[in-house]
Amino acid sequence: MAESDQVGEPRDPAGGREVGRARRRREDARLITGRTRWTDNIQLPGMLHVAFLRSPMAHARLTRVDVSAALAMPGVVAAFSGRDFDGEQGSLPCAWPVSEDVVIPDHPPMAVDRVRYVGEAVACVVATDRYKAADALEAVEADYEPLEAVLDMTEALADGAPAVHEAGNQAFTWKFSGGDAGAAFRDAPVVIDRTYVQQRLIPTAMEPRAVVAAPEGEGFTLYSATQIPHILRVMLALTTGIPEHLLRVVAPDVGGGFGSKLQVTAEEVLGLLLARRLGRPVKWTESRSEGNLTVHHGRDQIQRISLAAERDGRIRGVRVDLLADMGAYLMLVTPGVPLLGAFMYNGIYKMDAYDFTCTGVFTTKMPTDAYRGAGRPEATFAIERAVDELAAELGLDPVEVRRRNWISREEFPYTTVAGLTYDSGDYEAATERALALLGYDKLRAEQADRRERRDPVQLGIGVSTYTEMCGLAPSRVLGSLSYGAGGWEHATVRLLPTGKVEVVTGTSPHGQGHETSWSQIAADALGVPFEDVSVLHGDTAVSPRGMDTYGSRSLVVGGVAVLAACEKVKEKAKRLAAHLLEAADDDIEFADGVFRVRGTGLGGAGRTVQELALAAFAAHDLPDGFEPRLDADATFDPENFSFPHGTHLCAVEVDTETGTVAIRSYVAVDDVGRVVNPLIVEGQVHGGIAQGIGQALFEEAVYDPEGNLLTTTMADYLIPSAADLPDFVTDRTETPATSNPLGVKGVGEAGTIASTPAVVNAVVDALRPYGVHDVPMPCTPERVWRVLARSGASADRAGPTDTGPTGTGPADPRTGAGAADRAGAVRRDENDGGAQ
């Protein structure tokens, strides 16, 4: 049983140390009860409220905006069109110009003369309360000259397609390769070609976005439900022209992000401009339907993946041709998201060659950007689906094909065909543990029995063996990819006179439990009680340096910075202890929170860190030149990514008469390196799996032919609830990272990356005897039913076809032989041998 499932106080497997101890999150007392400060809770004297009029058209010329009638409405203080801010609102930033020829169109926070997606702001009203502001929007008059919507990526690239921007609809083309793909595919005995669609997703954080902007003296304070207060401060200064030193950005407690709050938004920029113009604080909080329209979306890719292999299943090479929907504009990291996956389509597998091409496409939809995993879930989905297709084609068990191709434990560190060096891992251990927990062989026997009995409810077993690159990121790597900043992280550790510890971190949590984990790291490093550590974050006036939270980087980069600052504190304390103990610096050792003269043992005279903090404060007896404080700063810039990995297995039951998919069991065995807090790891894995299952079975942002978003409410955009999910069986293996002194790897995105292909592979596995080799996501009952109908399966049909000799692959309908027995080269593509 996982630690998070136990009753009462969590057990302590760490042997008295904090790192490794399953502590309950100290921040939960205020977060769960709501006794905290969310942005929307903030009330300031004289505060006004903002509402935005949003375009009802996906593509149009904006010919007139008249706000005069709104100004006469009760409680209205001001109203503006985009043209009123045309000279000062600038353009929302894109920090990742991925290629020399990338097209980065101007992106005004409020439209001036043209709109390019439904929901784009065209006017705003400022009133004494949010309801008066919303009511007054109805009095604003806006005229539009409709233009043709651009929704399909393939059609958008065709000659003569209506242009989203003057430069056309192609934002960029980016290529990457390793090895000789031509040689790998030439005369390959088996070539698998598949096309997969990563549907558009809407991040659905528990807390909607909210902004409060307030003039304060010469400067401004912006409160925002953001993941990136430090990056936001820099970008707001560059966008608005307000000097950076006159800007303070505060991220209060933030109720979830998943990448959706890794952004510089129109509302943040306009909030500042309104506060400056009116000289009063202003607040905006989105509604859920407004959020679905205007929070940046995720995924939305068309993936063409080709896999060349030997007849024994060994992979020779992989080709990927990717179309990525940018939406109407390039936001903060929009073009870079699909490229983060470019280095991961090879997955955990050895191969001779790899070729990747990505084309970014403009459409008249809400822009896409980072969503949990940001490019790596898409890559893992494609390669794990393709490996399953290879196994089916050869009549081999999908686990066996993975064993024949993965990097073995003895081969680490291993440099992949994509040029990344995986420092550590043990795919064998994680997979064997997952198979045992699922009861894999027993389920395969039950599957064979159901197929033999022609049971209308078929059993499918899905496999996903993944790794990801996280801990974003080595600054030099980001520089080589043209990203606008580095990937370092900063921390300060302060020893107070009373012996208490303040940790100031540049990471900015939105549910990850930093206050607990950072306290555990500092408590162990300094030998102080956990309860004596506090963690400060999310305020650029308190924590002036940082690169914030995303990309599973907080612990791997930010936590290591905390440890480095603690080590510097100990070096200072060691010098002071040597002075007070009348010993040489080199003769002082530190153990169990006490500095002693080496060789005197635990009973020898010593000084604790707390005692030394008071001595430094008093400054009565300090070494010459010693500052009266034990504080220290540290900045950590990783030399390599970290590479968590694991195996997720999913068993589903698919009712072939109704298309209903039910998850019967789910097992996840992850390796995230050294674990600081098992409870937090469990929570991250559980949440990640839920989001991955959401993509596999439930979630999809849908537009109509005119470009109207149809899924604007939670009644239309279905996310899984606890009632829709099974109990997860989770476990861990542990191969410490060698790239950082804590030995930690990222965990925040692992569950999302691994779970989607596990579930879809299970659904397809259940339906493979019917000739089905893909079900487009989400695998809803209707979609499964339609795929089966196209395959010719029906309730009055005799039942599924016989299987090949391994029980996992369909027999050749021409010969009756299993796929592995066929002679000659085999090639399958997405239009051959399976319903779509």
Side-chain angles (χ1 to χ4, degrees):
M1 181 183 292
E3 286 87 351
S4 57
D5 297 325
Q6 300 197 27
V7 178
E9 280 302 307
R11 61 184 173 85
D12 177 14
R17 292 180 59 81
E18 284 295 334
V19 171
R21 183 176 180 182
R23 274 199 177 271
R24 301 192 189 282
R25 299 197 317 179
R26 66 193 319 172
E27 43 278 74
D28 282 351
R30 69 175 192 273
L31 296 177
I32 293 174
T33 61
R35 291 195 292 266
T36 187
R37 187 169 69 161
W38 312 106
T39 301
D40 190 45
N41 291 350
I42 294 170
Q43 301 294 329
L44 300 177
M47 188 168 68
L48 302 172
H49 296 259
V50 185
F52 291 98
L53 182 69
R54 300 188 180 278
S55 170
M57 308 196 73
H59 197 195
R61 292 186 180 90
L62 185 59
T63 58
R64 184 177 73 98
V65 178
D66 186 348
V67 300
S68 58
L71 289 169
M73 297 286 285
V76 172
V77 174
F80 303 99
S81 70
R83 197 166 297 281
D84 292 322
F85 284 104
D86 195 20
E88 59 182 307
Q89 68 176 338
S91 178
L92 294 177
C94 173
W96 204 335
V98 295
S99 63
E100 291 184 1
D101 61 350
V102 64
V103 176
I104 304 180
D106 284 342
H107 185 186
M110 195 150 53
V112 176
D113 52 20
R114 190 164 172 177
V115 293
R116 291 180 171 87
Y117 65 90
V118 171
E120 190 167 3
V122 299
C124 66
V125 173
V126 187
T128 53
D129 69 49
R130 62 185 301 179
Y131 305 104
K132 290 183 174 67
D135 289 343
L137 290 179
E138 296 184 12
V140 178
E141 298 179 6
D143 295 335
Y144 303 88
E145 181 183 312
L147 298 169
E148 191 173 348
V150 180
L151 303 172
D152 182 274
M153 283 188 280
T154 303
E155 294 176 1
L157 295 177
D159 291 341
V164 180
H165 297 283
E166 289 184 6
N169 297 336
Q170 183 168 313
F172 64 89
T173 296
W174 193 87
K175 296 178 180 291
F176 176 76
S177 62
D180 187 343
F185 278 82
R186 191 177 304 119
D187 302 321
V190 180
V191 175
I192 302 292
D193 290 318
R194 292 290 185 268
T195 298
Y196 300 120
V197 175
Q198 292 283 326
Q199 78 270 35
R200 180 173 279 245
L201 301 177
I202 301 175
T204 312
M206 184 176 291
E207 179 199 15
R209 292 180 300 148
V211 175
V212 174
E216 293 188 355
E218 292 183 280
F220 299 87
T221 296
L222 183 86
Y223 303 88
S224 180
T226 180
Q227 298 175 218
I228 53 167
H230 298 91
I231 294 173
L232 181 59
R233 183 191 189 204
V234 174
M235 291 300 178
L236 287 174
L238 294 173
T239 302
T240 66
I242 298 173
E244 185 182 354
H245 69 288
L246 298 181
L247 273 176
R248 175 190 177 197
V249 175
V250 181
D253 281 325
V254 176
F258 316 119
S260 69
K261 295 171 183 173
L262 198 181
Q263 196 54 261
V264 179
T265 68
E267 295 82 9
E268 289 162 332
V269 172
L270 292 169
L272 268 180
L273 298 181
L274 288 167
R276 181 168 66 179
R277 183 168 294 199
L278 300 175
R280 293 174 64 178
V282 299
K283 178 194 285 189
W284 169 81
T285 302
E286 71 183 2
S287 66
R288 182 63 67 184
S289 57
E290 190 176 24
N292 280 18
L293 278 173
T294 61
V295 169
H296 72 244
H297 293 172
R299 314 288 192 250
D300 206 348
Q301 300 176 2
I302 300 174
Q303 304 168 301
R304 176 71 183 266
I305 183 168
S306 301
L307 186 153
E310 304 290 355
R311 190 161 298 282
D312 63 1
R314 188 184 71 82
I315 299 171
R316 296 171 55 159
V318 167
R319 281 180 174 147
V320 176
D321 192 355
L322 189 68
L323 291 183
D325 194 334
M326 303 288 99
Y329 300 98
L330 302 186
M331 297 192 76
L332 190 63
V333 295
T334 300
V337 168
L339 307 190
L340 286 173
F343 302 93
M344 300 308 300
Y345 277 89
N346 53 288
I348 64 171
Y349 306 114
K350 297 176 287 189
M351 60 189 69
D352 301 324
Y354 169 58
D355 189 80
F356 174 90
T357 300
C358 176
T359 301
V361 184
F362 290 117
T363 61
T364 54
K365 291 183 276 188
M366 180 65 205
T368 57
D369 210 300
Y371 177 60
R372 197 170 190 172
R376 287 100 76 207
E378 298 93 310
T380 299
F381 181 88
I383 187 63
E384 289 302 287
R385 288 286 295 110
V387 169
D388 255 36
E389 293 302 298
L390 175 63
E393 192 61 52
L394 297 176
L396 296 171
D397 186 280
V399 176
E400 178 58 29
V401 171
R402 287 166 170 83
R403 286 192 181 106
R404 296 182 186 187
N405 285 284
W406 68 35
I407 303 159
S408 66
R409 60 172 69 93
E410 296 83 10
E411 293 177 288
F412 289 97
Y414 184 89
T415 300
T416 73
V417 70
L420 296 179
T421 299
Y422 297 175
D423 62 320
S424 67
D426 191 338
Y427 307 140
E428 296 96 321
T431 302
E432 291 307 314
R433 180 62 177 151
L435 293 172
L437 288 171
L438 185 74
Y440 185 80
D441 292 339
K442 185 176 180 180
L443 281 175
R444 283 293 183 200
E446 180 184 344
Q447 180 185 61
D449 177 65
R450 288 196 186 201
R451 290 180 176 181
E452 179 68 25
R453 291 187 289 105
R454 305 179 188 277
D455 193 323
V457 178
Q458 287 291 305
L459 178 65
I461 305 166
V463 181
S464 174
T465 48
Y466 79 97
T467 189
E468 65 153 325
M469 61 179 221
C470 62
L472 298 178
S475 294
R476 290 182 179 180
V477 173
L478 290 176
S480 71
L481 295 173
S482 302
Y483 182 61
W488 51 267
E489 194 49 80
H490 186 82
T492 298
V493 173
R494 300 196 288 244
L495 267 293
L496 305 181
T498 56
K500 308 305 180 183
V501 180
E502 286 182 340
V503 173
V504 183
T505 177
T507 63
S508 185
H510 41 281
Q512 293 89 345
H514 293 183
E515 293 177 29
T516 302
S517 297
W518 279 212
S519 295
Q520 290 179 272
I521 292 169
D524 273 359
L526 299 175
V528 300
F530 170 85
E531 293 77 12
D532 285 357
V533 184
S534 65
V535 178
L536 307 177
H537 58 79
D539 184 340
T540 60
V542 174
S543 170
R545 289 177 289 279
M547 293 301 292
D548 305 315
T549 295
Y550 42 85
S552 291
R553 71 184 305 272
S554 292
L555 178 61
V556 178
V557 188
V560 175
V562 171
L563 178 64
C566 288
E567 294 301 319
K568 288 185 176 181
V569 167
K570 287 195 294 185
E571 284 301 310
K572 288 186 174 183
K574 179 181 178 181
R575 183 182 172 202
L576 178 55
H579 175 77
L580 296 176
L581 295 172
E582 299 180 344
D585 291 3
D586 291 343
D587 289 337
I588 297 297
E589 61 182 3
F590 177 78
D592 299 321
V594 180
F595 292 89
R596 294 184 176 88
V597 178
R598 196 181 309 276
T600 61
L602 295 179
R607 296 289 190 275
T608 66
V609 167
Q610 292 96 325
E611 291 170 332
L612 294 171
L614 182 59
F617 170 76
H620 295 159
D621 185 11
L622 301 180
D624 291 341
F626 193 94
E627 293 182 343
R629 61 190 183 94
L630 295 182
D631 306 345
D633 299 278
T635 300
F636 177 69
D637 195 344
E639 295 182 359
N640 192 10
F641 299 95
S642 72
F643 299 96
H645 69 84
T647 297
H648 287 217
L649 303 176
C650 179
V652 302
E653 293 182 326
V654 181
D655 188 328
T656 60
E657 296 175 339
T658 66
T660 301
V661 176
I663 297 178
R664 174 166 152 179
S665 55
Y666 193 101
V667 168
V669 178
D670 297 286
D671 191 321
V672 297
R674 190 181 183 195
V675 172
V676 172
N677 187 317
L679 281 180
I680 291 177
V681 168
E682 290 292 323
Q684 290 284 348
V685 170
H686 281 210
I689 293 171
Q691 283 189 271
I693 291 174
Q695 177 172 10
L697 299 180
F698 297 95
E699 300 181 41
E700 183 175 24
V702 178
Y703 285 86
D704 72 11
E706 285 72 47
N708 296 298
L709 183 67
L710 301 180
T711 49
T712 57
T713 72
M714 295 183 75
D716 307 305
Y717 186 83
L718 184 60
I719 62 172
S721 69
D724 300 308
L725 299 171
D727 289 334
F728 304 135
V729 177
T730 60
D731 203 349
R732 292 184 298 276
T733 58
E734 186 171 314
T735 54
T738 63
S739 55
N740 65 75
L742 275 174
V744 294
K745 305 177 183 180
V747 66
E749 297 162 317
T752 304
I753 288 170
S755 56
T756 305
V759 175
V760 176
N761 276 341
V763 173
V764 175
D765 184 57
L767 302 179
R768 205 173 285 283
Y770 296 91
V772 172
H773 66 64
D774 191 35
V775 179
M777 295 187 291
C779 303
T780 61
E782 179 184 1
R783 191 161 283 172
V784 171
W785 184 87
R786 290 187 181 279
V787 167
L788 280 167
R790 284 199 296 271
S791 75
S794 64
D796 57 358
R797 186 182 158 187
T801 59
D802 292 334
T803 59
T806 66
T808 62
D812 189 322
R814 297 162 293 184
T815 66
D821 299 328
R822 301 177 204 167
V826 178
R827 179 181 294 269
R828 290 286 190 188
D829 61 34
E830 64 273 13
N831 297 312
D832 178 27
Q836 290 295 300

